[in-house]
């Protein structure tokens, strides 16, 4: 009974049989991402309703009490007047109506979506304003996802990523129209050829061969069957594009929603960290062995603090946000401020992490031939740019492929060449992979470089460390390797097809030293060399700056190493390092 009175005081109507909605009153319905919590609460509105955070006992309690990030003690006022329902946000209060932030008194209509703070979503119900002359609630289900996507779409209307997607959709439509026009012209040409073949002026074929049969061997004529195949292929391609770009848009909206919350939490806790959405290519999509049809890019989170930056996946940010929320609620309940010396920082990773420089793809078609492929393969970064070259030698040292598959890999002119004793080939082949060096790497990531790759059905990824003795100042972006591995593989149709179309994908990883950034003026050696006027000036003006960080870590209660505060004592003598 006491809880019911309290809920009624807060404007929430709940009865034993569930939520009772009185049709002659204005009310709000909550929208939640959890289906079990969605539309669970009904907030009846009075003539003058105050929305805000729960008071600490010293002030007046608001009529609708909300908690969480971005909710002010007095957030906004909702009034019922003769002309309708109105919402008026108060100072420093974030209130959005139908996806747009409002700053002054705004009229509300039936079905409008309200967002208060960071994650409080509601739908407005104005039964008394509904009449036969007014439009009813749209047929589209106005749920949490609809309100969230509406808000994100409006906030991202000028986002460069959205503009790029719009250009991509436009280019797809233009390419489709060009392809359809080319297909129409080809159909008309083939149809005219068929008409000429069967015309009365040509009762017999003037050629010593059947032109129709020759045409079939080259390009199939326009028939209902071929036309249906082309149309089906075009429809499947267009449908795949639509589904892929739709999924990409949904992922971008979800990523921006996460970024918005992380930015709010960082601002509330005084963490100088900026979150934004970017696009990058996953390592799996940098390989030609990837699944065809889907987009190669996916949303990622760019995290910046001072002059340092990191790139997180959406899954990583989702896990980090859970820690951010818990930390925020814990500090708020205790009335404390954030202390970076206590515990881990969920907003930025201070530890040095591996960074993917890029992926080098060595195509396996050369294994069909008795040659050794020694090639400086481009290393493609997750931004689609060349980030260096990896020298890899690939060769078949034992065994042979079936001769018919070798002929398929060769030119059409050699397709009639065969030997009976080589038709079956051998049952096994031995492939040698020799990784020699990586050159032209980004100077900011050319630290502790290593490679990683998987070959066919090898159970574990193979990690290739660099030869540390070869790191020198003359070539700081070149790393030497000394890795040779022989793989003996049973020949199967799947492996032969993989060699004909696939590639060996080698990931190249590096480490960015903590605090290293190319944005610090005067730190980049390449920048200094570029501005030098002559060879003598290069040596006289070139400087090297070294900064050293020392961090002492201890095991915490969770069994993880965390940084501890070091107190300096004046009576403690220290040594001095000279060089």
């Amino acid at each position: 009974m006491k809880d019911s009175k309290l809920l009624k005081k807060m404007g929430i109507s709940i009865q034993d049989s569930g939520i009772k909605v009185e049709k002659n009153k204005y009310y709000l319905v909550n929208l939640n991402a959890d289906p079990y919590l969605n539309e669970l609460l009904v907030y009846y509105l009075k003539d003058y309703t105050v929305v805000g955070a729960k008071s600490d006992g010293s002030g007046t309690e608001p009529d609708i009490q909300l908690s969480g990030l971005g909710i002010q003690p007095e957030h906004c006022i909702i009034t019922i007047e003769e002309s309708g329902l109105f919402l008026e946000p108060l100072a420093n209060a974030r209130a959005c109506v139908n996806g747009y932030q409002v700053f002054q008194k705004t009229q509300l209509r039936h079905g409008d979506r309200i967002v208060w703070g960071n994650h409080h979503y509601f739908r407005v119900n104005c039964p008394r304003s509904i009449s036969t002359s007014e439009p009813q609630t749209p047929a589209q289900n106005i749920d949490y996802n609809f309100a969230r996507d509406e808000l994100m779409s409006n906030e991202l209307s000028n986002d460069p990523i959205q503009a790029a997607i719009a250009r991509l959709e436009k280019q797809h439509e233009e390419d489709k129209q060009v392809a359809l026009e080319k297909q129409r012209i080809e159909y008309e040409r083939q149809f005219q050829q068929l008409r000429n073949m069967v015309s009365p002026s040509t009762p017999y074929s003037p050629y010593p061969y059947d032109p129709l049969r020759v045409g079939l061997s080259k390009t199939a004529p326009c028939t209902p069957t071929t036309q249906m195949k082309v149309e089906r292929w075009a429809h499947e391609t267009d449908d795949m594009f639509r589904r892929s770009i739709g999924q990409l848009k949904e992922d971008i909206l979800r990523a921006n929603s996460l970024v918005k919350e992380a930015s709010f939490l960082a601002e509330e806790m005084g963490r100088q960290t900026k979150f934004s959405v970017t696009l990058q290519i996953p390592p799996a999509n940098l390989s030609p062995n990837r699944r065809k049809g889907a987009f190669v890019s996916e949303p990622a989170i760019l995290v910046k603090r001072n002059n340092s930056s990191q790139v997180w996946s959406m899954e990583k940010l989702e896990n980090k946000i859970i820690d951010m929320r818990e930390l925020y609620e814990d500090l708020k309940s205790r009335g404390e401020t954030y202390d970076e010396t206590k515990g881990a920082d969920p907003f930025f990773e201070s530890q040095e992490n591996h960074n993917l420089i890029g992926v080098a793809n060595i195509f396996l078609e050369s294994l069909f031939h008795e040659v050794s492929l020694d090639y400086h393969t481009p290393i493609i970064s997750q931004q689609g740019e060349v980030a260096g070259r990896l020298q890899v030698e690939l060769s078949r040292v034992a065994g042979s492929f079936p001769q018919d598959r070798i002929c398929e890999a060769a030119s059409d002119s050699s397709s009639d060449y065969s030997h009976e004793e080589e038709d079956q080939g051998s049952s096994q082949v031995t492939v040698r992979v020799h990784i020699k060096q990586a050159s032209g790497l980004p100077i900011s990531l050319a630290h502790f470089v290593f490679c990683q790759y998987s070959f066919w059905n090898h159970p574990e990824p193979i990690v290739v460390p660099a030869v540390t003795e070869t790191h020198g100042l003359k070539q700081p972006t070149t790393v030497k390797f000394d890795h040779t591995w022989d793989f003996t593989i049973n020949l199967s149709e799947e492996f032969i097809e993989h060699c004909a179309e696939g590639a060996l994908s080698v990931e190249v990883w590096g480490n960015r030293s903590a605090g290293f950034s190319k944005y610090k003026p005067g730190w980049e050696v390449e920048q200094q060399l570029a501005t030098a006027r002559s060879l003598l000036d290069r040596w006289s003006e070139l400087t090297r700056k070294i900064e050293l960080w020392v961090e002492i870590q201890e095991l915490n209660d969770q069994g993880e190493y965390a940084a501890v505060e070091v107190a300096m004592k004046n009576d403690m003598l220290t040594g001095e390092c000279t060089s």
Side-chain angles (χ1 to χ4, degrees):
M1 181 66 68
K2 183 178 179 181
D3 293 340
S4 299
K5 291 181 179 179
L6 180 60
L7 291 174
K8 186 176 181 180
K9 182 180 179 182
M10 296 170 60
I12 304 175
S13 174
I14 296 182
Q15 295 191 356
D16 296 337
S17 58
I19 298 176
K20 180 182 178 181
V21 178
E22 299 182 21
K23 296 183 178 180
N24 61 342
K25 289 188 176 181
Y26 291 89
Y27 59 90
L28 304 179
V29 179
N30 77 306
L31 302 177
N32 197 286
D34 189 343
Y36 294 100
L37 300 178
N38 185 54
E39 299 188 8
L40 186 62
L41 301 177
V42 172
Y43 294 83
Y44 286 123
L45 301 176
K46 301 184 296 183
D47 292 340
Y48 186 88
T49 304
V50 179
V51 181
K54 184 178 180 181
S55 175
D56 56 1
S58 59
T60 306
E61 296 285 350
D63 300 302
I64 298 179
Q65 299 178 12
L66 304 175
S67 61
L69 190 64
I71 299 298
Q72 304 296 326
E74 291 188 354
H75 200 85
C76 76
I77 297 173
I78 299 179
T79 56
I80 300 177
E81 303 176 7
E82 293 183 0
S83 56
L85 187 67
F86 292 87
L87 177 147
E88 182 178 359
L90 301 178
N92 301 322
R94 182 175 186 263
C96 301
V97 178
N98 297 336
Y100 293 95
Q101 187 170 355
V102 295
F103 302 94
Q104 56 188 0
K105 192 173 182 179
T106 304
Q107 185 172 4
L108 301 176
R109 293 176 174 81
H110 183 75
D112 285 351
R113 285 73 59 197
I114 299 177
V115 181
W116 284 316
N118 185 49
H119 57 273
H120 290 285
Y121 288 77
F122 298 90
R123 185 179 67 239
V124 180
N125 286 269
C126 306
R128 288 190 297 180
S129 66
I130 301 178
S131 63
T132 56
S133 60
E134 294 182 351
Q136 301 295 320
T137 303
Q140 186 173 3
N141 185 24
I142 303 178
D143 56 2
Y144 171 82
N145 293 329
F146 178 87
R148 182 201 62 187
D149 294 347
E150 176 186 55
L151 177 63
M152 288 293 103
S153 298
N154 291 332
E155 289 184 344
L156 299 175
S157 57
N158 296 324
D159 186 63
I161 296 180
Q162 299 295 327
I165 292 178
R167 290 195 301 269
L168 187 63
E169 290 179 307
K170 182 180 179 181
Q171 184 64 41
H172 173 75
E173 289 296 329
E174 293 177 354
D175 293 343
K176 185 171 67 173
Q177 295 300 325
V178 171
L180 291 175
E181 180 64 20
K182 289 183 178 179
Q183 188 64 39
R184 184 189 65 80
I185 295 174
E186 180 65 19
Y187 283 161
E188 292 180 353
R189 186 186 65 82
Q190 293 183 8
F191 182 71
Q192 186 63 37
Q193 287 181 351
L194 291 175
R195 290 184 61 182
N196 295 337
M197 292 176 187
V198 297
S199 61
S201 61
T202 312
Y204 59 90
S205 174
Y207 307 102
Y209 57 90
D210 190 350
L212 182 59
R213 182 170 298 178
V214 174
L216 284 172
S217 63
K218 297 292 184 180
T219 58
C222 177
T223 63
T225 303
T226 57
Q227 186 174 359
M228 288 177 59
K229 289 182 179 180
V230 171
E231 291 177 353
R232 184 169 64 250
W233 172 83
H235 177 73
E236 291 175 354
T237 302
D238 188 63
D239 183 62
M240 182 177 296
F241 176 84
R242 295 298 174 193
R243 284 188 282 107
S244 298
I245 203 166
Q247 183 64 44
L248 181 62
K249 288 181 177 179
E250 291 180 7
D251 292 342
I252 291 175
L253 291 176
R254 184 164 66 93
N256 277 280
S257 178
L258 296 172
V259 163
K260 181 73 68 175
E261 183 175 0
S263 299
F264 277 137
L265 288 167
E267 184 178 357
E268 286 288 325
M269 300 178 66
R271 308 305 298 145
Q272 302 300 322
T273 308
K274 301 295 183 182
F275 298 87
S276 59
V277 179
T278 184
L279 293 178
Q280 71 174 12
I281 306 174
N285 288 353
L286 287 171
S287 169
N289 307 322
R290 68 180 180 90
R291 180 173 61 90
K292 300 298 189 293
F295 279 16
V296 297
S297 298
E298 68 178 9
I301 312 301
L302 180 62
V303 187
K304 288 186 177 182
R305 176 180 290 178
N306 298 328
N307 290 324
S308 301
S309 62
Q310 300 172 357
V311 178
W312 294 356
S313 64
M314 284 200 297
E315 291 74 18
K316 185 173 183 177
L317 181 58
E318 286 177 337
N319 296 330
K320 292 284 188 180
I321 282 181
I322 297 176
D323 298 334
M324 296 177 193
R325 292 171 182 166
E326 293 178 353
L327 182 60
Y328 174 77
E329 294 296 336
D330 182 56
L331 295 177
K332 186 177 180 181
S333 62
R334 294 185 298 175
E336 299 179 359
T337 57
Y338 180 77
D339 187 357
E340 59 183 3
T341 62
K342 297 180 179 179
D345 184 3
F347 295 93
F348 200 80
E349 293 187 341
S350 59
Q351 300 295 324
E352 181 181 345
N353 293 318
H354 302 312
N355 291 268
L356 179 65
I357 298 176
V359 177
N361 294 293
I362 301 92
F363 287 89
L364 302 176
E365 188 178 351
S366 63
L367 297 177
F368 289 110
H369 310 281
E370 298 291 340
V371 296
S372 177
L373 177 66
D374 192 347
Y375 185 59
H376 292 262
T377 309
I379 302 173
I380 307 301
S381 70
Q382 291 184 277
Q383 288 71 42
E385 301 173 348
V386 177
R389 293 185 176 273
L390 182 68
Q391 185 180 4
V392 180
E393 183 178 354
L394 184 69
S395 59
R396 172 165 51 90
V397 296
S400 62
F401 286 88
Q403 187 65 30
D404 57 342
R405 301 310 297 267
I406 297 177
C407 292
E408 289 179 9
S411 61
D412 295 337
S413 60
S414 60
S415 59
D416 57 346
Y417 174 81
S418 65
H419 293 286
E420 293 294 333
E421 65 274 10
E422 294 181 353
D423 281 343
Q424 300 301 321
S426 57
S427 60
Q428 290 182 335
V429 292
T430 301
V431 179
R432 176 170 297 172
V433 176
H434 182 194
I435 300 179
K436 298 182 177 181
Q437 72 173 15
S439 58
L441 301 177
I443 190 171
S444 59
L445 295 176
H447 305 278
F448 307 104
V449 178
F450 67 92
C451 298
Q452 179 176 295
Y453 71 95
S454 298
F455 193 87
W456 193 233
N457 289 329
H458 197 273
E460 297 292 336
I462 301 172
V463 179
V464 183
V467 181
T468 56
E469 291 79 2
T470 60
H471 284 286
L473 297 177
K474 294 184 178 180
Q475 292 181 324
T477 61
T478 298
V479 179
K480 296 288 185 179
F481 299 97
D482 187 14
H483 170 81
T484 302
W485 197 299
D486 291 347
F487 299 90
T488 301
I489 303 167
N490 295 324
L491 278 180
S492 62
E493 191 66 25
E494 292 80 8
F495 177 70
I496 295 176
E497 184 177 354
H498 175 65
C499 292
E501 301 179 358
L504 169 64
S505 298
V506 182
E507 298 178 358
V508 183
W509 294 78
N511 281 276
R512 189 193 304 275
S513 298
F516 183 90
S517 175
K518 63 181 180 180
Y519 299 105
K520 288 186 178 181
W523 279 68
E524 280 293 335
V525 174
E526 290 181 340
Q527 181 181 1
Q528 298 176 43
L529 291 177
T531 57
R533 295 178 296 276
S534 65
L535 183 60
L536 180 61
D537 293 332
R538 292 180 183 182
W539 284 110
S540 62
E541 296 181 4
L542 180 62
T543 60
R544 298 188 181 277
K545 299 182 181 181
I546 299 176
E547 188 171 351
L548 177 66
W549 293 267
V550 177
E551 189 177 74
I552 300 177
Q553 297 182 349
E554 292 181 357
L555 283 173
N556 57 19
D557 297 335
Q558 289 76 30
E560 300 176 349
Y561 280 99
V564 296
E565 184 177 1
V566 179
M568 302 296 295
K569 293 184 178 180
N570 297 329
D571 57 346
M572 185 68 66
L573 297 177
T574 60
E576 182 177 0
C577 179
T578 60
S579 61

